[in-house]
Amino acid sequence: MGSNGTDIAARLADASRPGCGIERTLKVLDGKWTTLIIRELLTGPKRFGELRTALGDPSAKTLTDRLRSLEHQQILTRTVYAEVPPRVVYELTEQGHSLGDILYAMLVWGETHPLEDA
Amino acid sequence: MGSNGTDIAARLADASRPGCGIERTLKVLDGKWTTLIIRELLTGPKRFGELRTALGDPSAKTLTDRLRSLEHQQILTRTVYAEVPPRVVYELTEQGHSLGDILYAMLVWGETHPLEDA
DNA sequence: GCATATGGTTTCCCTATGGGAAGCAATGGG
DNA sequence: CCCATTGCTTCCCATAGGGAAACCATATGC
């Protein structure tokens, strides 16, 4: 299955509890749609409306909140084109793109895990 | 930084949206302390009280909820020793242990990411 | 003039979540 | 007889998250 669990355990034992790397990552990926937003953007830049549709219609407020938060944390960039009607494109930064490793691990795990219905 | 982002993007594009592997993983890792519980257990079995202390005192109610949920999803096992006072030991299953790949990716990312203060 | 399209923002509200405190079981020890 | 210990469980409350809907800006098409 996974790689060598023993090495991982060693690294994890090292990670001092208060504010370890995992906790910092969790803070970035916090919130209901955050991780899925990144999933969508890993396949390329997208507009606000495209994201909304692809995710299955989260409320505009929530989506805005998440995008703003991710922008503030340098995970993605927000580009406004002064057209009418307006066009806003969201795109992952280098930092944001590097989250792909985590998402990929999640994808692999989720696909092999027999899911118990809640 | 990460591995080849292009391959990952391809895999991600494949993943059909409704209930893809990532979403299933997110469902398992849902809740405030869930991921950190797994971090603690990756270094070996722990008792209820040990977990509570290591995590920084989440409420007993919340910790119980998380542990029950993870047990139900076959991520960990709960062993009660009929002693007085009681002793309850939590240990990751094979499935739970395999989450280590995800946590490891989070650890690496978090350590290299310059964190913006919220 | 007015509707339409787009990407928001803002306000209001409801639910879910998580925390705190207290109770409880069971037994050995003082 | 009472207390301490451990791992809950139950109840209650405060907060935060997230959804619905209304509003705004602007230029084009009718």
Side-chain angles (χ1 to χ4, degrees):
Chain A
M1 303 279 130
S3 34
N4 40 6
T6 337
D7 275 10
I8 295 173
R11 286 290 304 270
L12 288 165
D14 252 11
S16 54
R17 299 303 161 272
C20 85
I22 292 176
E23 290 180 32
R24 287 164 64 182
T25 301
L26 288 174
K27 213 170 292 179
V28 173
L29 295 181
D30 191 40
K32 195 175 184 184
W33 301 94
T34 310
T35 306
L36 298 180
I37 289 171
I38 294 171
R39 179 191 68 186
E40 293 306 321
L41 292 182
L42 277 171
T43 61
K46 296 225 173 0
R47 300 180 56 171
F48 184 87
E50 288 179 297
L51 280 173
R52 248 195 117 176
T53 303
L55 294 173
D57 266 331
S59 74
K61 170 180 175 273
T62 303
L63 186 51
T64 304
D65 285 354
R66 295 295 169 272
L67 290 170
R68 284 291 189 285
S69 168
L70 291 172
E71 183 192 7
H72 183 248
Q73 290 171 98
Q74 327 253 18
I75 301 303
L76 51 80
T77 58
R78 177 173 181 269
T79 310
V80 183
Y81 293 87
E83 304 170 356
V84 168
R87 182 164 57 104
V88 181
V89 174
Y90 296 91
E91 180 167 17
L92 290 181
T93 61
E94 180 94 12
Q95 280 285 343
H97 219 84
S98 69
L99 284 168
D101 290 347
I102 297 173
L103 287 251
Y104 184 69
M106 286 186 179
L107 179 61
V108 171
W109 191 90
E111 279 175 354
T112 56
H113 178 70
L115 126 110
E116 318 293 318
D117 51 335
Chain B
M1 297 283 129
S3 34
N4 39 5
T6 336
D7 274 11
I8 294 175
R11 285 289 305 268
L12 288 165
D14 251 11
S16 53
R17 300 301 159 271
C20 85
I22 293 176
E23 289 180 31
R24 289 162 64 182
T25 300
L26 288 174
K27 213 170 293 180
V28 173
L29 294 183
D30 190 42
K32 194 173 184 185
W33 300 96
T34 310
T35 306
L36 298 181
I37 289 171
I38 294 170
R39 178 190 69 185
E40 293 306 320
L41 292 181
L42 278 170
T43 61
K46 295 226 173 2
R47 299 179 57 172
F48 184 87
E50 288 178 297
L51 281 173
R52 249 196 115 177
T53 302
L55 294 173
D57 267 329
S59 73
K61 169 179 173 277
T62 303
L63 184 51
T64 306
D65 285 353
R66 295 295 169 271
L67 290 170
R68 285 291 192 287
S69 167
L70 291 172
E71 182 192 8
H72 183 248
Q73 290 172 98
Q74 326 255 17
I75 302 302
L76 51 79
T77 58
R78 177 172 179 270
T79 309
V80 183
Y81 293 88
E83 304 169 359
V84 169
R87 183 164 56 104
V88 182
V89 174
Y90 296 91
E91 182 167 15
L92 290 182
T93 61
E94 181 93 12
Q95 281 283 345
H97 218 85
S98 69
L99 284 168
D101 290 347
I102 298 173
L103 286 251
Y104 184 70
M106 286 186 180
L107 179 60
V108 170
W109 192 90
E111 280 174 354
T112 56
H113 178 68
L115 127 109
E116 320 293 319
D117 51 336

